[in-house]
């Protein structure tokens, strides 16, 4: 598997807290100017294809599962290769963290379309350097989602049980392909989960370079 250096992905079932963790990561970077340049991102993206996908997830736009699978893949291609996208930013030495990426398609569309369509639609995409799986008991996840103002099409218990099973099936493939996969018990407090994420992220080579760059800027070589 081709790996994009400096690219980190957060994965997990609905209610596992990927969006909360992204907020924590963002705050850590904002608080410390000596850290690498950071860009936080998410899929489905805020671009036009992502907007269409969110309409479908909200139930406003009924689409065939295969159509949705193709849209996720198209949205991802833009996210990766478009202007200001992952490849451009990581290539410039930025650290990009994305809330969801190819594993979400292999898991969710693997359930709704069968294994093959998302495999074919995602087989050319490179892997991230580091992949977090926020592993949560579906019963706890569903409790968390009860507090949300509205439910999306995948946000019910039976589906989330399958999601968890499927993540466990597909993640070893990423590890075998050279991605550093870190599974975190997401039933813990957001603070504890955040600490574990940070400890793993700090081991990335880009963190070693960051201090040097700042020293260089100060003229201390
Ligand atoms: P999510 O991160 O839960 O967004 P939000 O917190 O704003 O609701 O993602 C939206 C949903 O999209 C989630 O149920 C997972 C699903 N999804 C797929 O089915 N396939 C994909 O390729 C991606 C990226 C997401």
């Amino acid at each position: 598997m081709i790996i994009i250096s400096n690219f980190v992905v957060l994965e997990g079932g609905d209610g596992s807290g990927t969006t909360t963790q992204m907020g924590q990561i963002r705050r850590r970077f904002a608080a410390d100017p000596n850290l690498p340049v950071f860009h936080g991102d998410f899929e489905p993206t805020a671009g036009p294809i992502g907007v269409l996908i969110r309409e479908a997830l909200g139930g406003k736009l009924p689409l065939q599962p295969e159509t949705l699978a193709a849209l996720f893949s198209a949205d991802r291609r833009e996210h990766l290769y478009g202007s200001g996208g992952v490849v451009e930013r990581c290539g410039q030495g930025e650290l990009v963290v994305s809330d969801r990426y190819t594993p979400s398609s292999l898991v969710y569309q693997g359930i709704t379309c069968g294994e093959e369509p998302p495999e074919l639609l995602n087989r050319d995409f490179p892997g991230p350097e580091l992949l977090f799986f926020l592993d949560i008991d579906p019963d706890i996840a569903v409790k968390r989602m009860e507090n949300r103002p509205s439910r999306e099409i995948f946000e019910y218990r039976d589906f989330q049980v399958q999601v968890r099973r499927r993540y466990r099936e597909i993640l070893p493939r990423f590890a075998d392909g050279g991605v550093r996969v870190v599974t975190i018990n997401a039933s813990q407090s957001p603070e504890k989960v955040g600490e574990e994420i940070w400890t793993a992220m700090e081991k990335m080579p880009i963190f070693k370079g960051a201090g040097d760059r700042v020293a260089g800027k100060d003229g201390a070589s």
Side-chain angles (χ1 to χ4, degrees):
M1 187 182 282
I2 293 170
I3 303 284
I4 305 178
S5 297
N6 308 335
F7 184 34
V8 179
V9 168
L10 302 177
E11 287 284 349
D14 292 271
S16 65
T18 57
T19 308
T20 302
Q21 289 307 321
M22 181 62 102
Q24 290 205 19
I25 293 168
R26 205 183 283 281
R27 281 192 291 280
R28 279 193 195 257
F29 278 95
D32 186 349
N34 292 330
L35 293 177
V37 177
F38 168 77
H39 179 79
D41 233 334
F42 49 86
E43 293 187 7
T45 68
I49 305 169
V51 169
L52 202 60
I53 292 172
R54 287 199 188 271
E55 280 185 33
L57 293 175
K60 271 184 276 175
L61 174 68
L63 292 177
Q64 294 299 305
E66 291 76 11
T67 308
L68 194 54
L71 287 178
F72 276 118
S73 166
D75 187 45
R76 180 161 301 130
R77 193 170 291 281
E78 292 304 314
H79 183 209
L80 270 180
Y81 302 113
S83 168
V86 175
V87 167
E88 183 184 310
R89 287 179 183 277
C90 290
Q92 288 168 354
E94 292 184 29
L95 179 86
V96 178
V97 181
S98 180
D99 182 348
R100 301 192 178 281
Y101 184 59
T102 47
S104 283
S105 280
L106 299 181
V107 167
Y108 286 76
Q109 281 61 60
I111 297 168
T112 59
C113 305
E115 226 171 280
E116 205 173 89
E119 294 275 349
L120 292 175
L121 286 161
N122 289 280
R123 66 177 171 194
D124 296 337
F125 293 129
E129 179 180 333
L130 178 57
L131 171 57
F132 288 104
F133 171 46
L134 304 193
D135 188 25
I136 192 159
D137 180 333
D139 288 320
I140 297 176
V142 164
K143 278 224 172 60
R144 287 185 184 176
M145 287 188 281
E146 277 167 2
N147 302 325
R148 294 183 182 179
S150 65
R151 284 269 177 113
E152 292 183 342
I153 55 173
F154 301 138
E155 294 179 349
Y156 55 95
R157 187 185 178 279
D158 290 356
F159 193 86
Q160 293 302 320
V161 170
Q162 295 182 67
V163 164
R164 187 186 207 192
R165 191 183 310 137
R166 208 152 185 108
Y167 267 117
R168 289 172 168 176
E169 279 166 17
I170 63 128
L171 288 175
R173 270 191 264 161
F174 285 86
D176 291 345
V179 177
R180 183 152 75 101
V181 178
V182 177
T183 296
I184 294 183
N185 172 8
S187 308
Q188 305 177 99
S189 71
E191 293 71 27
K192 185 82 187 23
V193 173
E195 285 305 322
E196 291 189 14
I197 288 179
W198 194 249
T199 302
M201 256 173 78
E202 274 186 325
K203 295 191 181 117
M204 292 172 77
I206 191 174
F207 277 79
K208 292 189 194 84
D212 300 346
R213 254 205 325 275
V214 172
K217 213 163 54 190
D218 294 338
S221 92

